[in-house]
Amino acid sequence: MASFIDFRNPPGSDRRADNAVRATAEPRWVRRTLIGIVLGFFALFLFLPLAVVFQGALAKGSGVLIQAFTDHDILHSVQMTLVVALIAVPANTAFGIAAAWAVTRYRFTGRALLMALIDLPLWVSPVIGGLIYVLLYGRRGYFGPWLSAHDIRIIFALPGMVMATTFVTFPFVARSLIPLMQAQGVEEEEAALTLGAGGFQILRRITLPKIRWGLFYGVILCNARAMGEFGAVSVVSAKISGKTNTMPLEIERLYNDYLFPQAFAVAAALALLALLTLVLKTLTEFENARQLEASRRVTLETTIEPPSAA
Amino acid sequence: MSIEIQSVSKSFGAFPAVSDVSLRIETGEMVAFLGPSGSGKTTLLRIIAGLEFADAGEIHFHGDNVTGKSANERKAGFVFQSYALFNHMTIFENIAFGLRVAPRSRRLSGEKIQERVTSLLETIQLPDLANRFPSQLSGGQRQRVAFARALAVEPRVLLLDEPFGALDAKVRRELRRWLAEFHEKTHLTSLFVTHDQEEAFEVADRVVIIDKGMIQQIGTPEEIKSGAGNTFVRDFLALHI
């Protein structure tokens, strides 16, 4: 999943490097060795494991596959994964737009802190992400007594799993929007404002269409991470197969029970979802890079002042 | 529609962008704010439009106190230096935007919008470009579309921020003449910001010279050219002759 973390450099930002290759090129043997090492590393650590997953899933023939995906517990884990993603991703899309909007449009105290906090889930281990919710909402946690008095269950249930997933996947939408919105500026929004448009009209008719590819990109990343999340969810889920297991947790359960073909079958399904995400991501990257480039070109063009007529 | 600026001040942090400016612009006048970059002229224009809010002072449009009103309630047309066209919309939709977002009670019918936009496209002499996108237009064409878009909502005043700043000298002169003719016909109260004195003297009825957030001199082009102003005005004008 290493390629999912590359949003620090917005899509298209390193295109310029291509032109520099010729002038600063190293001797041929250095280049070849370097490319060789990279490809070898890629094969060993990324491609091979993925191939093994699919091989493992198909090793015992389609009978096991069919059996695996008619099994109640496994199907339930697929359902749980989809439900969690279906709540966490839209929530983070809304939060992400709001955070990117606040950070790029306003200057306020705590702005730098907010920028840093957006990244926090990337820096801390997901396990900690899960643990803080146990400390807050668990039976002996901060809100625990109140919650059990009102018979509300968050930890070891769906709400906790959604919260933990939301925590871990928070940065993705915000982080893919911030560079884009910074590059685009606010002039179109200002123009809409002077034409009489209200805040919601501006968001719907101007801002969202402008950022739609960046937004789509962020949502895809967020979704991939939400479906694959293991650490944070494993802390807040009781790991009851058929009740609170998501696909990654179910894979672990099957593996620990020595049900290797089934484990590989679920793993392959999860990997397939990730690969689908990767294809969508690559497609949006092209479009996003094109738009970012276009908005840069417009800014550049208009800041060049012609020589004074006199 | 007259514009009255009463003791307006605005600072960005410790930097005073506009300091205690008072000015009255009469109905139908075309006034230029002339000054070097960083003089506060654009900030003053943005305060009048409602895109910035003054720390102190008031803005009145024909006796109507708009100081606390948001830009979308002021009905002040604004033309940006970089056009700020909506890149994802056709030229037609760009011009129609202000009409489409009007409150339901005041919104024109589809046919009326079609009519208004078509007639504006003729006014700016680009009747065949309705279905193009902004990226397919030249700088001069884009700026004319920006004019049409601002005019579509029948603004009470027209505010122009360096309207010709990003254009080459020839297109600039053409558009300048076009703007002067347009103003001659409509007498829409207009204010434009420029750093180019030739532009200010050619188009404006009155020129307001601004530096360090303060008005240095106000007068007709003739009065200012006669050389009466303070040291700053004389230096600033001499620099460009």
Side-chain angles (χ1 to χ4, degrees):
Chain A
M1 289 246 179
S3 67
F4 287 137
I5 317 291
D6 67 355
F7 50 75
R8 282 175 174 289
N9 299 308
S13 64
D14 49 2
R15 296 285 146 96
R16 202 170 311 170
D18 294 350
N19 301 330
V21 164
R22 203 162 281 275
T24 59
E26 287 80 10
R28 179 167 296 188
W29 68 270
V30 175
R31 259 185 290 157
R32 290 205 170 157
T33 319
L34 198 62
I35 293 170
I37 291 172
V38 170
L39 287 181
F41 188 88
F42 175 81
L44 202 62
F45 286 90
L46 293 172
F47 181 74
L48 209 57
L50 199 62
V52 167
V53 166
F54 285 105
Q55 198 226 335
L58 296 167
K60 291 274 157 70
S62 57
V64 179
L65 273 182
I66 292 166
Q67 189 210 327
F69 286 103
T70 48
D71 180 84
H72 168 266
D73 290 355
I74 291 176
L75 278 180
H76 190 271
S77 77
V78 176
Q79 190 197 330
M80 281 301 277
T81 291
L82 293 179
V83 168
V84 168
L86 219 59
I87 303 170
V89 174
N92 272 340
T93 305
F95 291 153
I97 294 173
W101 186 285
V103 161
T104 56
R105 301 289 148 96
Y106 309 128
R107 295 282 171 275
F108 53 94
T109 24
R111 181 173 169 273
L113 186 71
L114 182 66
M115 287 275 269
L117 278 180
I118 287 173
D119 279 352
L120 184 75
L122 292 174
W123 295 349
V124 303
S125 160
V127 176
I128 297 170
L131 216 54
I132 52 171
Y133 289 107
V134 175
L135 291 176
L136 280 176
Y137 305 112
R139 186 166 298 170
R140 280 187 243 164
Y142 194 72
F143 301 115
W146 187 88
L147 288 170
S148 44
H150 290 79
D151 212 18
I152 301 170
R153 222 183 147 85
I154 289 182
I155 300 303
F156 303 143
L158 185 66
M161 295 163 70
V162 171
M163 281 180 183
T165 307
T166 307
F167 173 85
V168 172
T169 57
F170 179 72
F172 293 86
V173 173
R175 269 292 169 182
S176 44
L177 289 184
I178 288 170
L180 187 68
M181 288 171 77
Q182 263 165 351
Q184 287 177 335
V186 295
E187 274 207 330
E188 287 182 41
E189 279 84 352
E190 286 184 342
L193 195 66
T194 62
L195 292 167
F200 184 68
Q201 287 173 318
I202 293 174
L203 180 71
R204 192 170 66 85
R205 289 173 179 261
I206 309 294
T207 308
L208 285 182
K210 263 169 71 182
I211 60 170
R212 64 184 187 279
W213 285 108
L215 181 64
F216 186 48
Y217 176 82
V219 169
I220 291 169
L221 291 189
C222 180
N223 183 55
R225 193 75 171 77
M227 292 196 301
E229 181 49 33
F230 177 83
V233 174
S234 85
V235 178
V236 295
S237 150
K239 295 203 213 173
I240 305 162
S241 187
K243 274 212 158 83
T244 59
N245 260 8
T246 56
M247 284 168 84
L249 300 179
E250 188 69 7
I251 293 169
E252 191 206 23
R253 201 264 306 172
L254 292 166
Y255 181 81
N256 288 343
D257 290 350
Y258 301 101
L259 297 166
F260 297 131
Q262 285 85 344
F264 276 120
V266 183
L270 198 56
L272 219 56
L273 287 174
L275 284 179
L276 185 71
T277 306
L278 201 66
V279 172
L280 286 173
K281 169 187 163 276
T282 312
L283 289 178
T284 51
E285 249 176 10
F286 282 122
E287 190 53 32
N288 199 359
R290 201 182 58 74
Q291 285 209 338
L292 202 64
E293 197 57 42
S295 71
R296 276 211 191 111
R297 208 168 48 231
V298 171
T299 332
L300 203 71
E301 223 171 68
T302 52
T303 47
I304 298 170
E305 287 187 357
S308 179
Chain B
M1 190 75 54
S2 64
I3 304 173
E4 186 144 3
I5 304 160
Q6 298 173 351
S7 315
V8 163
S9 295
K10 168 86 185 170
S11 301
F12 293 111
F15 175 73
V18 176
S19 312
D20 196 24
V21 167
S22 295
L23 178 68
R24 192 181 155 80
I25 291 145
E26 300 300 335
T27 307
E29 251 194 319
M30 166 79 95
V31 171
F33 287 172
L34 175 65
S37 53
S39 59
K41 56 194 193 304
T42 293
T43 305
L44 187 57
L45 193 76
R46 288 171 61 86
I47 290 171
I48 297 168
L51 294 172
E52 305 277 357
F53 287 92
D55 302 332
E58 289 187 354
I59 305 283
H60 294 251
F61 286 178
H62 218 80
D64 171 17
N65 186 353
V66 297
T67 313
K69 281 191 181 167
S70 152
N72 56 9
E73 298 167 312
R74 290 196 190 187
K75 290 195 69 122
F78 200 97
V79 176
F80 293 80
Q81 177 179 9
S82 54
Y83 329 124
L85 294 181
F86 308 131
N87 289 316
H88 61 284
M89 293 182 200
T90 61
I91 299 309
F92 184 95
E93 284 305 319
N94 263 279
I95 298 173
F97 182 86
L99 304 171
R100 294 211 195 282
V101 298
R104 207 171 291 268
S105 55
R106 279 193 280 122
R107 199 178 300 159
L108 297 176
S109 67
E111 289 145 49
K112 281 268 161 57
I113 291 177
Q114 177 84 34
E115 243 169 65
R116 170 94 52 94
V117 175
T118 309
S119 106
L120 279 163
L121 279 167
E122 270 155 28
T123 308
I124 58 168
Q125 297 152 12
L126 300 173
D128 304 325
L129 300 185
N131 296 318
R132 300 277 188 88
F133 283 89
S135 57
Q136 298 167 303
L137 268 55
S138 73
Q141 290 173 330
R142 284 186 216 178
Q143 191 58 299
R144 278 187 273 166
V145 174
F147 275 115
R149 184 179 65 177
L151 295 173
V153 292
E154 296 179 326
R156 301 198 278 185
V157 297
L158 188 61
L159 308 171
L160 310 141
D161 182 14
E162 297 267 8
F164 315 118
L167 302 169
D168 65 59
K170 182 173 165 287
V171 179
R172 213 158 145 178
R173 270 195 297 277
E174 282 170 17
L175 267 184
R176 206 190 281 168
R177 207 163 303 133
W178 182 85
L179 179 65
E181 278 170 23
F182 174 82
H183 184 255
E184 200 59 31
K185 269 185 265 171
T186 60
H187 285 286
L188 179 62
T189 309
S190 308
L191 253 174
F192 74 100
V193 158
T194 181
H195 61 273
D196 179 351
Q197 53 176 293
E198 192 191 304
E199 196 166 289
F201 292 154
E202 191 185 310
V203 182
D205 300 322
R206 274 200 302 161
V207 177
V208 178
I209 298 184
I210 298 178
D211 185 50
K212 298 198 173 68
M214 289 177 279
I215 294 178
Q216 306 289 332
Q217 197 186 352
I218 307 176
T220 63
E222 289 69 35
E223 283 166 5
I224 288 177
K225 274 191 273 189
S226 67
N230 61 21
T231 333
F232 167 78
V233 173
R234 282 201 301 276
D235 283 354
F236 180 67
L237 297 183
L239 213 80
H240 295 263
I241 291 166

